Amino acid sequence: MNEEKTRLTRQFMEALPHGKALDMQVAGVGDGWAELTMNYDERFIGDPDTGVIHGGAISALMDTCCGAAVMSHPQLATITATIDLRIDYMRSATPHQRILCRAECYHVTRSVAFVRATAYDEDMENPVATATAAFTASANDPRDPERLKTVGDTVKGTVI
Amino acid sequence: MTRQPEPVQVIKQRRDGALKALVGRIPYAGFLGIHFDRRGDELTGIMPFKDDLVGNPVLPALHGGAIAAFLEVTAITELSWSMLWADIEHGEVDPDDFPRLPKTIDFTVDYLRSGLPRDAYARARVNRSGRRYASVHVEAWQDNRSKLFAQATGHFLMPSKDN
């Protein structure tokens, strides 16, 4: 496992302004996979009648998690962008429970990374949502860890 | 003899009140700073730029998740609005007793170009709305209406009439 790259992916992910706004935490990251969590927060509610969080908050978590899986892939450059993201909502997330998303970059070509992800609340037997996504990809650049480091530092310096 | 039409201010107040109550009920829309502009029954979602919507601080670009959320909020609001419109017009909507919101079944976002650090706008179109399911398409742009930066299609489960 490329420890430097996973460390930098973690650092980058935890410094994203929108990720911070939603208080996303990196639970784990490895070669081509990532796990992110997001705590329940009343500001994220989408349905006031039930207190269920908005699908959009789940989308943000899943999109970020898929991006982290692409960034951590050993063959790919750490710069990526979402081309397409499809989310299937299987059930409502139980209010007051944290959401965990696990994403796996299962196939890469020279220009595209294919990712799938699953989101769970505390009932790990019954997923809340699944996602399939395509991200832009380019080959790993040996200078990349350095570049990412700069990016990470810039992110750390951003006033949020 | 014909009946006097309702004063325009009364109509506007009723429509704007219903829209405000509808959007005001969704905490996540407020969290992202989303509000709606109304022209007759046509709604435009507006997400003013703010720093915590940024995903890539180097470019900087809007976070893909914030874009997806903006599109989904706009789609659900348009769908609920179109569902409520007839009742609003008949003055039969009680802002304290709204019907339940539609539930998202699936949502597919097409990211066409990166979101700039500027205000974003979105309009949704209900392509089909049946008793149980609805299909909604939504388009988002920034500076130029004809240059979309994202679009999405979603399917929704309609709330049952009796709760």
Side-chain angles (χ1 to χ4, degrees):
Chain A
M1 178 155 76
N2 186 338
E3 281 181 24
E4 178 68 358
K5 199 165 180 191
T6 55
R7 190 185 67 77
L8 291 166
T9 302
R10 178 185 287 269
Q11 184 187 333
F12 183 82
M13 283 301 147
E14 289 183 345
L16 298 181
H18 194 59
K20 275 191 167 178
L22 294 167
D23 197 25
M24 292 178 196
Q25 308 285 336
V26 178
V29 59
D31 288 349
W33 66 267
E35 275 184 8
L36 263 67
T37 62
M38 181 175 74
N39 286 322
Y40 182 81
D41 189 315
E42 286 181 353
R43 295 173 302 165
F44 307 162
I45 291 174
D47 187 342
D49 298 318
T50 57
V52 171
I53 65 165
H54 199 280
I58 309 248
S59 302
L61 179 71
M62 295 188 94
D63 180 61
T64 311
C65 196
C66 289
V70 176
M71 284 181 80
S72 64
H73 195 284
Q75 290 165 30
L76 299 180
T78 33
I79 308 298
T80 186
T82 322
I83 299 171
D84 162 272
L85 176 76
R86 176 193 162 109
I87 299 192
D88 292 294
Y89 295 96
M90 264 96 76
R91 65 179 178 89
S92 300
T94 307
H96 304 288
Q97 296 190 359
R98 66 101 185 90
I99 307 292
L100 179 138
C101 176
R102 187 185 160 87
E104 173 202 9
C105 181
Y106 65 93
H107 186 75
V108 296
T109 71
R110 265 178 300 179
S111 39
V112 187
F114 297 92
V115 193
R116 53 182 161 231
T118 310
Y120 307 87
D121 57 18
E122 286 164 21
D123 174 6
M124 297 292 287
E125 303 285 300
N126 297 295
V128 166
T130 55
T132 48
F135 279 73
T136 62
S138 43
N140 198 359
D141 182 329
R143 291 166 303 172
D144 227 39
E146 261 323 297
R147 257 174 35 211
L148 187 60
K149 206 168 167 184
T150 323
V151 170
D153 289 345
T154 316
V155 174
K156 267 163 62 187
T158 310
V159 181
I160 296 158
Chain B
M1 203 179 116
T2 54
R3 258 185 35 212
Q4 282 290 313
E6 260 186 316
V8 67
Q9 274 315 323
V10 173
I11 299 174
K12 276 192 178 175
Q13 242 176 35
R14 189 171 61 226
R15 291 174 181 174
D16 288 338
L19 177 60
K20 205 175 154 202
L22 173 65
V23 181
R25 291 176 80 231
I26 309 172
Y28 196 59
F31 176 74
L32 295 174
I34 299 168
H35 58 97
F36 286 82
D37 188 26
R38 183 188 65 78
R39 293 287 179 272
D41 71 341
E42 182 196 65
L43 299 183
T44 307
I46 302 166
M47 184 167 74
F49 177 74
K50 56 177 178 171
D51 284 340
D52 66 10
L53 297 177
V54 168
N56 185 334
V58 179
L59 291 176
L62 292 180
H63 192 287
I67 297 168
F70 176 44
L71 293 169
E72 197 174 325
V73 167
T74 306
I76 290 176
T77 304
E78 177 66 44
L79 183 55
S80 304
W81 178 250
S82 67
M83 198 168 77
L84 289 170
W85 178 257
D87 289 345
I88 296 169
E89 289 308 279
H90 293 113
E92 286 165 6
V93 167
D94 175 3
D96 295 321
D97 188 27
F98 265 149
R100 301 282 294 268
L101 291 166
K103 278 188 184 172
T104 314
I105 300 167
D106 61 62
F107 202 70
T108 308
V109 185
D110 186 4
Y111 294 92
L112 302 168
R113 36 173 75 79
S114 69
L116 304 168
R118 293 210 254 291
D119 295 0
Y121 312 100
R123 265 184 216 148
R125 182 182 68 235
V126 178
N127 281 328
R128 146 114 184 129
S129 170
R131 199 167 49 84
R132 294 174 69 194
Y133 309 109
S135 175
V136 183
H137 183 77
V138 49
E139 296 180 342
W141 71 97
Q142 294 188 300
D143 298 326
N144 302 111
R145 176 65 181 93
S146 59
K147 275 195 176 176
L148 302 180
F149 78 105
Q151 59 180 352
T153 301
H155 296 93
F156 298 87
L157 192 61
M158 302 301 279
S160 51
K161 285 273 180 196
D162 48 314
N163 64 8

mmCIF file of all heavy atoms in Angstrom, chain B residues 24 33 38 43 45 56 64 79 94 106 113 133 141 147-148 151 156-157:
data_model
loop_
_atom_site.group_PDB
_atom_site.id
_atom_site.type_symbol
_atom_site.label_atom_id
_atom_site.label_comp_id
_atom_site.label_asym_id
_atom_site.label_seq_id
_atom_site.Cartn_x
_atom_site.Cartn_y
_atom_site.Cartn_z
ATOM 1 N N GLY B 24 -39.201 26.751 3.652
ATOM 2 C CA GLY B 24 -38.780 26.979 5.031
ATOM 3 C C GLY B 24 -38.833 25.727 5.886
ATOM 4 O O GLY B 24 -38.209 25.649 6.939
ATOM 5 N N GLY B 33 -28.210 27.588 1.982
ATOM 6 C CA GLY B 33 -28.539 28.963 1.595
ATOM 7 C C GLY B 33 -29.413 29.054 0.356
ATOM 8 O O GLY B 33 -29.459 30.095 -0.316
ATOM 9 N N ARG B 38 -39.934 33.335 -7.782
ATOM 10 C CA ARG B 38 -41.170 32.845 -8.378
ATOM 11 C C ARG B 38 -41.714 33.839 -9.394
ATOM 12 O O ARG B 38 -41.774 35.036 -9.129
ATOM 13 C CB ARG B 38 -42.212 32.626 -7.274
ATOM 14 C CG ARG B 38 -43.538 32.033 -7.760
ATOM 15 C CD ARG B 38 -44.578 32.032 -6.657
ATOM 16 N NE ARG B 38 -44.953 33.386 -6.253
ATOM 17 C CZ ARG B 38 -45.786 34.170 -6.951
ATOM 18 N NH1 ARG B 38 -46.327 33.745 -8.073
ATOM 19 N NH2 ARG B 38 -46.062 35.395 -6.523
ATOM 20 N N LEU B 43 -40.704 28.378 -10.868
ATOM 21 C CA LEU B 43 -39.736 28.558 -9.790
ATOM 22 C C LEU B 43 -38.307 28.469 -10.310
ATOM 23 O O LEU B 43 -38.005 27.662 -11.180
ATOM 24 C CB LEU B 43 -39.907 27.466 -8.729
ATOM 25 C CG LEU B 43 -41.238 27.361 -8.005
ATOM 26 C CD1 LEU B 43 -41.162 26.269 -6.936
ATOM 27 C CD2 LEU B 43 -41.614 28.696 -7.372
ATOM 28 N N GLY B 45 -34.555 28.003 -8.547
ATOM 29 C CA GLY B 45 -33.768 27.830 -7.327
ATOM 30 C C GLY B 45 -32.508 28.666 -7.424
ATOM 31 O O GLY B 45 -31.910 28.775 -8.502
ATOM 32 N N ASN B 56 -13.117 21.900 -4.364
ATOM 33 C CA ASN B 56 -11.707 22.010 -4.714
ATOM 34 C C ASN B 56 -11.254 23.447 -4.505
ATOM 35 O O ASN B 56 -11.566 24.330 -5.292
ATOM 36 C CB ASN B 56 -11.506 21.595 -6.181
ATOM 37 C CG ASN B 56 -10.036 21.586 -6.570
ATOM 38 O OD1 ASN B 56 -9.221 22.294 -5.982
ATOM 39 N ND2 ASN B 56 -9.698 20.785 -7.560
ATOM 40 N N GLY B 64 -19.085 18.811 -5.751
ATOM 41 C CA GLY B 64 -20.053 18.004 -6.495
ATOM 42 C C GLY B 64 -21.253 17.624 -5.636
ATOM 43 O O GLY B 64 -22.377 17.538 -6.132
ATOM 44 N N LEU B 79 -41.551 19.662 -7.560
ATOM 45 C CA LEU B 79 -42.539 18.585 -7.548
ATOM 46 C C LEU B 79 -43.625 18.855 -6.505
ATOM 47 O O LEU B 79 -44.824 18.722 -6.799
ATOM 48 C CB LEU B 79 -41.826 17.248 -7.283
ATOM 49 C CG LEU B 79 -42.657 15.970 -7.307
ATOM 50 C CD1 LEU B 79 -43.412 15.818 -8.624
ATOM 51 C CD2 LEU B 79 -41.761 14.752 -7.065
ATOM 52 N N ASP B 94 -52.980 25.013 4.061
ATOM 53 C CA ASP B 94 -52.676 25.501 5.394
ATOM 54 C C ASP B 94 -51.184 25.320 5.625
ATOM 55 O O ASP B 94 -50.699 24.198 5.691
ATOM 56 C CB ASP B 94 -53.494 24.690 6.422
ATOM 57 C CG ASP B 94 -53.129 25.059 7.859
ATOM 58 O OD1 ASP B 94 -52.297 25.968 8.060
ATOM 59 O OD2 ASP B 94 -53.696 24.429 8.770
ATOM 60 N N ASP B 106 -34.351 7.513 -6.781
ATOM 61 C CA ASP B 106 -32.996 7.564 -7.331
ATOM 62 C C ASP B 106 -32.755 8.943 -7.935
ATOM 63 O O ASP B 106 -33.699 9.681 -8.236
ATOM 64 C CB ASP B 106 -32.759 6.465 -8.380
ATOM 65 C CG ASP B 106 -33.699 6.586 -9.558
ATOM 66 O OD1 ASP B 106 -33.656 7.610 -10.267
ATOM 67 O OD2 ASP B 106 -34.494 5.657 -9.787
ATOM 68 N N ARG B 113 -19.708 20.811 -16.448
ATOM 69 C CA ARG B 113 -18.486 21.604 -16.287
ATOM 70 C C ARG B 113 -18.361 21.939 -14.805
ATOM 71 O O ARG B 113 -19.309 21.780 -14.061
ATOM 72 C CB ARG B 113 -18.486 22.856 -17.173
ATOM 73 C CG ARG B 113 -19.819 23.555 -17.361
ATOM 74 C CD ARG B 113 -19.683 24.862 -18.106
ATOM 75 N NE ARG B 113 -19.458 24.729 -19.536
ATOM 76 C CZ ARG B 113 -20.377 24.461 -20.447
ATOM 77 N NH1 ARG B 113 -21.633 24.266 -20.080
ATOM 78 N NH2 ARG B 113 -20.082 24.399 -21.723
ATOM 79 N N TYR B 133 -45.640 7.553 -8.489
ATOM 80 C CA TYR B 133 -44.269 7.881 -8.889
ATOM 81 C C TYR B 133 -44.218 9.156 -9.715
ATOM 82 O O TYR B 133 -45.164 9.501 -10.416
ATOM 83 C CB TYR B 133 -43.670 6.730 -9.722
ATOM 84 C CG TYR B 133 -43.803 5.394 -9.065
ATOM 85 C CD1 TYR B 133 -44.680 4.432 -9.563
ATOM 86 C CD2 TYR B 133 -43.060 5.084 -7.922
ATOM 87 C CE1 TYR B 133 -44.810 3.192 -8.943
ATOM 88 C CE2 TYR B 133 -43.188 3.854 -7.307
ATOM 89 C CZ TYR B 133 -44.059 2.918 -7.815
ATOM 90 O OH TYR B 133 -44.191 1.709 -7.194
ATOM 91 N N TRP B 141 -27.409 26.299 -14.041
ATOM 92 C CA TRP B 141 -26.466 27.127 -14.778
ATOM 93 C C TRP B 141 -25.939 28.216 -13.865
ATOM 94 O O TRP B 141 -26.413 28.398 -12.741
ATOM 95 C CB TRP B 141 -27.151 27.715 -16.019
ATOM 96 C CG TRP B 141 -28.171 28.767 -15.732
ATOM 97 C CD1 TRP B 141 -27.994 30.119 -15.760
ATOM 98 C CD2 TRP B 141 -29.554 28.565 -15.367
ATOM 99 N NE1 TRP B 141 -29.167 30.765 -15.439
ATOM 100 C CE2 TRP B 141 -30.129 29.859 -15.183
ATOM 101 C CE3 TRP B 141 -30.357 27.437 -15.180
ATOM 102 C CZ2 TRP B 141 -31.473 30.031 -14.832
ATOM 103 C CZ3 TRP B 141 -31.682 27.615 -14.804
ATOM 104 C CH2 TRP B 141 -32.226 28.902 -14.632
ATOM 105 N N LYS B 147 -25.649 27.717 -20.994
ATOM 106 C CA LYS B 147 -24.488 26.872 -20.688
ATOM 107 C C LYS B 147 -24.696 26.197 -19.340
ATOM 108 O O LYS B 147 -24.297 26.721 -18.297
ATOM 109 C CB LYS B 147 -23.217 27.729 -20.632
ATOM 110 C CG LYS B 147 -22.582 27.957 -21.965
ATOM 111 C CD LYS B 147 -21.170 28.479 -21.759
ATOM 112 C CE LYS B 147 -20.460 28.630 -23.094
ATOM 113 N NZ LYS B 147 -19.133 29.213 -22.924
ATOM 114 N N LEU B 148 -25.337 25.015 -19.398
ATOM 115 C CA LEU B 148 -25.607 24.306 -18.142
ATOM 116 C C LEU B 148 -24.300 23.803 -17.558
ATOM 117 O O LEU B 148 -23.411 23.387 -18.288
ATOM 118 C CB LEU B 148 -26.525 23.115 -18.408
ATOM 119 C CG LEU B 148 -27.875 23.437 -19.061
ATOM 120 C CD1 LEU B 148 -28.664 22.140 -19.243
ATOM 121 C CD2 LEU B 148 -28.662 24.436 -18.250
ATOM 122 N N GLN B 151 -26.884 18.852 -14.763
ATOM 123 C CA GLN B 151 -28.299 18.515 -14.905
ATOM 124 C C GLN B 151 -28.517 17.181 -14.202
ATOM 125 O O GLN B 151 -27.562 16.453 -13.941
ATOM 126 C CB GLN B 151 -28.703 18.445 -16.379
ATOM 127 C CG GLN B 151 -27.926 17.422 -17.185
ATOM 128 C CD GLN B 151 -28.359 17.378 -18.642
ATOM 129 O OE1 GLN B 151 -29.329 17.997 -19.042
ATOM 130 N NE2 GLN B 151 -27.629 16.618 -19.444
ATOM 131 N N PHE B 156 -39.192 9.858 -7.941
ATOM 132 C CA PHE B 156 -39.665 10.147 -6.576
ATOM 133 C C PHE B 156 -40.921 9.363 -6.267
ATOM 134 O O PHE B 156 -41.752 9.110 -7.157
ATOM 135 C CB PHE B 156 -39.961 11.652 -6.438
ATOM 136 C CG PHE B 156 -38.731 12.504 -6.640
ATOM 137 C CD1 PHE B 156 -38.347 12.912 -7.927
ATOM 138 C CD2 PHE B 156 -37.928 12.860 -5.567
ATOM 139 C CE1 PHE B 156 -37.196 13.661 -8.122
ATOM 140 C CE2 PHE B 156 -36.776 13.618 -5.760
ATOM 141 C CZ PHE B 156 -36.406 14.008 -7.041
ATOM 142 N N LEU B 157 -41.040 9.004 -5.003
ATOM 143 C CA LEU B 157 -42.237 8.336 -4.508
ATOM 144 C C LEU B 157 -43.156 9.427 -3.968
ATOM 145 O O LEU B 157 -42.749 10.217 -3.113
ATOM 146 C CB LEU B 157 -41.825 7.368 -3.393
ATOM 147 C CG LEU B 157 -42.848 6.359 -2.908
ATOM 148 C CD1 LEU B 157 -43.279 5.427 -4.047
ATOM 149 C CD2 LEU B 157 -42.238 5.542 -1.762
#
